[in-house]
Amino acid sequence: MSSTFIFSILVFQLLFASQPCHRILTTAAGGKWQLLQKSIGVSAMHMQLLRNDRVVMFDTTRFGASNLSLANGKCLNNDCTAHSVEYNVLTNKFRPLTVQNDTWCSSGAIMPDGNFIQTGGSLEGGRSVRLINPCNNNCDWQEFPNGLAAPRWYASNHILPDGRQIIVGGRGQFNYEFIPKNVAANTFNLPFLSETNDRGVENNLYPFTFLNVDGNLFIFANNRAILLDYVNNKVVKTYPAIPGGDPRSYPSTGSAVLLPLKNLKAAAIQAEVLVCGGAPKGSYQQSLKKTFVPALDSCARIIITDPNPQWVMETMPMARVMGDMKLLPNGHVLLINGAGSGSAGWEQGRDPVLSPVLYRPDNAVGSRFETQKPTTIPRMYHSTATLLRDGRVLVGGSNPHKFYTFTGLFPTEISLEAFSPDYLDASFDDIRPTIVAPKSMSIVRYRKKTIIQVKISGTVVENMISVNLVSPTFTTHSFSMSQRLLALGNDKVTALGNSMYKIDATMPSSGYIAPSGFYLLFVVHQDIPSQAIWVKLQ
């Protein structure tokens, strides 16, 4: 063996011995699936995580009985079955809830006090406002039949810095309104919604709405977007159309996320939106004729804060329509559910996409997507997904039929599954943070430093620790409303001994960056998240 070869080995060992030992999720096994409940009796068309780790799910009262009876033999309008359930994540149990009018294709958000305010629906439910105040066992829906100024069917909601919700659009509604109302029950015209309405098809329902870091509202419908000063009812920026011009909004249903907000102490914070999937022009009409056009396999990404914003196109591993996009605690994006052809609508989708796809926003173009392990259960039209406090993603729903139909193609799904990303694998437990303090439900304040104490048994890489806040979202029809992740990073990490560490982190500066209310606080180390605690930002 030559002395030169021996010297090379020694140099190699010294170089790598001087580097901190850390692991990144680059050789993923693809996650794991778990069937939680074979039947919860109700198909989860809509889904909302509450601050008490319960998930409220509901479908519609319009199309007959579900498979779950109301409590105590109760009946409503000659229907003795439930159309809403509350699922307890911690116990894996569920109970029926009572909705009094039709919630079909409605919208909602969590208010700053943690109450779930839900709006609109079909027919008599179109102007309804509904409320659930999270409790241990006996809370149920409260309903206010004429709480809205206009019927809202297929509308989108977003929580605002002042604590109100804005409700944008809906079928035949080219306007927006607010709840609660501080003036008369007004609507405000938004011509953009009529301009993006494809005659006879629409392709602009459930618009993708995101609060920009300047306090204005980014609104995407069909294949293009605007930035709206909703206070003065003024469009302050018009964005270019996505290259190719294909629609991404219902019923040509794609999905979208506001990518994690970072560098929150910077003078100018960058905000970026990712839109994925959808259906080519004409797909909806073709599906009515039983011709199912392959879905779009592209994603479009745009920096909405850029002075000259342009869409950057990427190609997914597989085409997807009616998919969901969920922000994971480590800032990755999970694409899940959906079909490979057709469009949204009754029995208008085909080729279920069983494999989720992981998207890493910070990787180089061409290396961002990774296909995950498939489920065995098709999740087509009217399926949902939401992030849980333990880092799993709860998956439910799928009913492409007008009634509960358990035979034939893509039967109504009343099961619940959980998808566990690879970061939950036990092989990462030694670098996984465990939050010791503060306690869940603690209050954190804008611009103030918060101290989080964690335990990490393995080797710690301080510059790979981040405190991340994730909002609980309302999810339906492939869009998670008010979805937001704030990557706070860390100001300082102090070793306390016995595998304990103190992390200093500064909370966001204003409600423009993070509207006040309840968030899941995760500590992420080398892309591995802790279990979250609930915090209230105010």
Side-chain angles (χ1 to χ4, degrees):
M1 184 179 295
S2 70
S3 58
T4 302
F5 182 75
I6 294 172
F7 177 76
S8 298
I9 291 176
L10 289 172
V11 170
F12 179 87
Q13 290 174 336
L14 285 170
L15 282 171
F16 279 84
S18 66
Q19 302 302 312
C21 177
H22 59 267
R23 283 171 279 162
I24 304 296
L25 290 171
T26 54
T27 56
K32 295 179 181 178
W33 285 92
Q34 178 187 10
L35 181 65
L36 300 174
Q37 290 286 348
K38 187 175 180 180
S39 171
I40 58 169
V42 172
S43 191
M45 183 190 300
H46 313 78
M47 188 179 282
Q48 175 69 63
L49 175 67
L50 305 179
R51 68 180 189 270
N52 58 356
D53 294 315
R54 314 289 175 92
V55 180
V56 172
M57 292 168 273
F58 50 98
D59 63 354
T60 170
T61 61
R62 187 170 174 179
F63 295 112
S66 74
N67 269 36
L68 179 67
S69 297
L70 287 168
N72 303 317
K74 185 177 180 181
C75 298
L76 189 67
N77 299 324
N78 297 317
D79 184 358
C80 303
T81 63
H83 296 279
S84 178
V85 298
E86 180 191 74
Y87 173 71
N88 187 324
V89 176
L90 303 181
T91 65
N92 192 31
K93 295 181 180 180
F94 59 93
R95 65 183 182 92
L97 300 176
T98 305
V99 287
Q100 298 167 32
N101 56 39
D102 196 15
T103 52
W104 185 25
C105 305
S106 50
S107 51
I110 297 290
M111 300 297 282
D113 61 3
N115 287 342
F116 175 32
I117 298 289
Q118 202 275 322
T119 56
S122 174
L123 299 177
E124 80 287 351
R127 291 185 57 203
S128 289
V129 174
R130 306 170 192 87
L131 178 149
I132 280 189
N133 182 357
C135 67
N136 290 329
N137 294 309
N138 58 1
C139 49
D140 210 333
W141 288 103
Q142 303 174 50
E143 303 204 18
F144 309 91
N146 296 303
L148 299 179
R152 300 290 172 185
W153 194 23
Y154 301 94
S156 292
N157 294 22
H158 204 297
I159 195 70
L160 298 175
D162 63 7
R164 294 181 297 166
Q165 288 186 42
I166 187 170
I167 311 170
V168 179
R171 177 158 285 168
Q173 297 298 330
F174 307 130
N175 54 62
Y176 62 94
E177 64 179 287
F178 303 93
I179 56 167
K181 301 185 181 303
N182 53 15
V183 294
N186 291 333
T187 63
F188 301 86
N189 289 332
L190 186 57
F192 171 73
L193 293 177
S194 58
E195 294 163 5
T196 53
N197 181 40
D198 291 345
R199 185 181 297 274
V201 184
E202 297 168 304
N203 280 334
N204 70 340
L205 299 178
Y206 279 123
F208 305 144
T209 56
F210 301 107
L211 182 69
N212 193 18
V213 294
D214 62 1
N216 293 314
L217 193 70
F218 177 90
I219 304 175
F220 179 100
N222 198 314
N223 58 17
R224 54 196 184 274
I226 59 170
L227 192 63
L228 176 69
D229 174 355
Y230 53 83
V231 175
N232 297 300
N233 191 24
K234 180 181 179 182
V235 175
V236 296
K237 182 179 285 189
T238 299
Y239 296 90
I242 289 181
D246 284 314
R248 310 280 177 156
S249 301
Y250 184 93
S252 298
T253 304
S255 190
V257 291
L258 176 71
L259 291 174
L261 297 176
K262 302 179 178 182
N263 303 314
L264 300 186
K265 295 180 182 178
I269 299 171
Q270 179 175 291
E272 196 166 6
V273 167
L274 178 70
V275 179
C276 290
K281 289 179 182 177
S283 296
Y284 178 79
Q285 297 96 319
Q286 289 297 313
S287 67
L288 292 173
K289 302 173 186 176
K290 302 304 178 184
T291 298
F292 303 99
V293 178
L296 297 173
D297 66 355
S298 61
C299 291
R301 184 166 163 172
I302 191 170
I303 301 172
I304 66 174
T305 48
D306 195 287
N308 183 32
Q310 300 294 323
W311 294 98
V312 176
M313 303 303 293
E314 301 182 61
T315 301
M316 298 186 289
M318 60 202 72
R320 194 181 302 254
V321 62
M322 297 181 286
D324 285 283
M325 294 173 69
K326 302 304 301 184
L327 291 171
L328 299 178
N330 59 5
H332 298 165
V333 181
L334 186 71
L335 290 79
I336 197 167
N337 300 337
S341 62
S343 80
W346 301 128
E347 302 174 1
Q348 289 173 243
R350 293 294 187 274
D351 306 315
V353 182
L354 301 177
S355 294
V357 169
L358 197 64
Y359 179 86
R360 295 182 173 90
D362 295 336
N363 281 17
V365 174
S367 63
R368 290 173 174 164
F369 294 99
E370 183 182 88
T371 302
Q372 305 292 286
K373 287 182 178 175
T375 180
T376 59
I377 302 174
R379 300 287 181 179
M380 305 286 280
Y381 186 42
H382 292 149
S383 58
T384 48
T386 199
L387 177 68
L388 301 177
R389 187 165 61 89
D390 58 16
R392 294 178 299 161
V393 175
L394 185 69
V395 180
S398 184
N399 188 12
H401 313 287
K402 285 188 177 181
F403 300 93
Y404 277 43
T405 302
F406 298 105
T407 58
L409 190 64
F410 311 129
T412 302
E413 266 304 329
I414 52 179
S415 65
L416 273 187
E417 294 177 283
F419 177 73
S420 295
D422 276 312
Y423 57 56
L424 292 175
D425 192 88
S427 64
F428 296 109
D429 282 354
D430 63 324
I431 59 172
R432 186 185 317 282
T434 299
I435 298 176
V436 177
K439 294 180 179 180
S440 199
M441 306 304 291
S442 293
I443 291 174
V444 295
R445 301 187 184 278
Y446 288 113
R447 298 176 295 279
K448 299 297 184 182
K449 184 172 291 187
T450 296
I451 295 174
I452 300 100
Q453 191 170 321
V454 300
K455 184 173 183 178
I456 304 173
S457 61
T459 302
V460 171
V461 184
E462 293 184 5
N463 65 356
M464 298 189 72
I465 290 179
S466 180
V467 176
N468 291 351
L469 300 180
V470 184
S471 60
T473 65
F474 176 80
T475 303
T476 190
H477 290 76
S478 300
F479 184 49
S480 293
M481 302 176 193
S482 301
Q483 186 169 210
R484 208 170 190 83
L485 189 153
L486 297 308
L488 306 181
N490 75 76
D491 299 336
K492 183 180 179 182
V493 177
T494 305
L496 303 176
N498 296 321
S499 300
M500 300 295 292
Y501 295 87
K502 183 184 77 167
I503 304 168
D504 294 3
T506 302
M507 289 297 121
S509 59
S510 75
Y512 288 177
I513 308 302
S516 63
F518 286 87
Y519 289 82
L520 294 167
L521 184 150
F522 294 90
V523 176
V524 180
H525 177 225
Q526 301 184 49
D527 276 345
I528 306 302
S530 67
Q531 184 170 118
I533 60 171
W534 286 101
V535 295
K536 185 179 183 183
L537 177 63
Q538 62 185 39

